[in-house]
Structures are given as C-alpha cells and as structure tokens.
Amino acid sequence: MRRTAEQAAETRRTIIRTALAEFAAHGWTGGSLVSIARRAGLTRGAVYHHFESKEALLRAVLIEEWTAQTPAVLATLNTDAPATDRLQAFLQTYLDLLGSDSTFRDLAVVSTIVAPQVVELAEGIEEKRNALNRWSDALEPVLAACGPLRDGLTIDDALFVIFTFIHGLTLTAATEPQRLPRGTTIPAICEAIVDGLLPSSRLTAEETS
C-alpha cells in the first residue's frame, strides 16, 4: 500500500513537471492533456486520475511550483551581508535561475504569459500574487536597511523598479532567451539596478549593516 501511494505521488509529480514544460513550450492551447500524457509516458486516463481538467492541472502547477521555488529566491535576503549586497544577490539569483534552471524559467514564463489567458485560474494566479507579496514583504526591510533612496524615492517606488526589472527579464526569457545576460555581466547589471536606486549605495550599506 505504501509503495502504491509513493508511486501515485511520483506520477502526480511527473505530470506537474511535464505540464509545466509543455505549457511553457506550447502555450495554453498547444499544451493539451494528450500531449502532456504522451510527453510524460502516461495515458490520458492517468492524467485525468490526478487532475479533473487542464485548468486544474495548470492551477496545481502554479501553486505547487511557486511554493517549491520561492524559498531559494528569498534566502538571499536573509543573510548577514550588507543590505545592498543582499538586494543585489536577490536580483542576481533570479537572473541566474532564469538562465540556468529550466524549471524556474518555465514557471516564470507560464505564470507571466500563459496563466493570464485562463480566466478560470483565479486560485493559481492568486498564488502567484501571494508569492510576489511574500517577495515584497521580504524586500521591504532590506530596502529600508539600505538607507535613504535616491531623489526621495519611496520603498514602493523601489519595489516597482525591482518587479518591473523581474517581469522584463521573464518576458525576455519567454520571447528572446538568447538575449538574457550571461557570465560576468549578470552581477554588473544587478549592481547597476541597486546603484540606480540608492545614492552611494555601497557606502550606505557599510554604514547601515
């Protein structure tokens, strides 16, 4: 019985990971349950056993994958490093994951481009919104610890810049992945974003850490 439960859980996990890759590659209309089952090496009946519809499957993909992926991104903000270094590490981790982790890239693409096409996915989109809220909650104290922002910008302004940068990266990953920065340009770009928000950001970090 235990082995059967483990097999069912593993099958369900395979379906979710396969569906994520299929939706990222072929979009909502192209990612059919038949193609997902075929790609996973399963029957369509096996997919329906775990998920009653394609909407339910996509909802599970968003909820479970964001739950799994969020801690690794937010961990960069919970260290003893100076605040500006933590902020840069957060941006750099997101950019690194987009370029090197196909699961993370697929999740970001599906959340940003595919899911909004499906109006029934309120729960899954709400989970993405909750994930971004958790990111905001983690970023706010780090931004506050960085010191005064440039030219009277508020923390909300800084969050707007950060999330605009993140969404822009995600769109690039979906449409022109070859243009994503690589190698040593990644920390340079992320440092430029931080320095653009904070006057004398490195000095401020040393004074407030």
Side-chain angles (χ1 to χ4, degrees):
M1 181 67 70
R2 180 179 178 183
R3 180 57 181 163
T4 301
E6 290 176 350
Q7 288 175 328
E10 182 59 31
T11 298
R12 186 180 188 279
R13 188 67 183 154
T14 298
I15 294 169
I16 286 178
R17 282 296 178 92
T18 304
L20 175 61
E22 190 75 3
F23 288 137
H26 302 292
W28 174 245
T29 56
S32 68
L33 291 182
V34 172
S35 64
I36 291 168
R38 185 183 302 116
R39 184 167 182 166
L42 301 168
T43 64
R44 186 172 61 174
V47 176
Y48 273 116
H49 175 74
H50 291 276
F51 303 99
E52 63 184 13
S53 64
K54 191 164 73 164
E55 290 83 358
L57 175 53
L58 181 53
R59 185 183 305 115
V61 166
L62 292 173
I63 292 174
E64 296 184 25
E65 289 299 325
W66 275 117
T67 298
Q69 295 284 354
T70 295
V73 181
L74 295 187
T76 58
L77 299 173
N78 300 313
T79 70
D80 295 328
T84 50
D85 289 351
R86 283 181 279 156
L87 183 58
Q88 181 177 333
F90 168 81
L91 298 175
Q92 190 170 325
T93 296
Y94 190 91
L95 186 44
D96 282 336
L97 287 172
L98 273 184
S100 64
D101 187 321
S102 60
T103 298
F104 186 87
R105 181 172 58 252
D106 287 349
L107 178 60
V109 169
V110 169
S111 299
T112 303
I113 296 177
V114 179
Q117 301 174 37
V118 189
V119 295
E120 297 89 347
L121 276 179
E123 184 180 353
I125 293 176
E126 181 64 21
E127 179 59 28
K128 170 65 184 305
R129 186 178 298 111
N130 289 339
L132 291 179
N133 287 339
R134 290 193 293 272
W135 292 14
S136 294
D137 290 342
L139 282 164
E140 284 180 8
V142 177
L143 286 166
C146 288
L149 300 179
R150 179 185 297 273
D151 299 329
L153 293 177
T154 67
I155 288 178
D156 283 344
D157 295 329
L159 289 172
F160 171 77
V161 171
I162 290 169
F163 285 119
T164 298
F165 177 60
I166 286 174
H167 284 299
L169 290 174
T170 304
L171 184 59
T172 300
T175 59
E176 297 180 283
Q178 73 280 2
R179 297 191 63 181
L180 284 173
R182 309 285 179 181
T184 58
T185 60
I186 291 178
I189 289 172
C190 295
E191 182 178 356
I193 296 293
V194 174
D195 287 345
L197 293 171
L198 307 169
S200 304
S201 59
R202 297 300 165 188
L203 177 61
T204 302
E206 295 177 357
E207 294 173 347
T208 58
S209 61

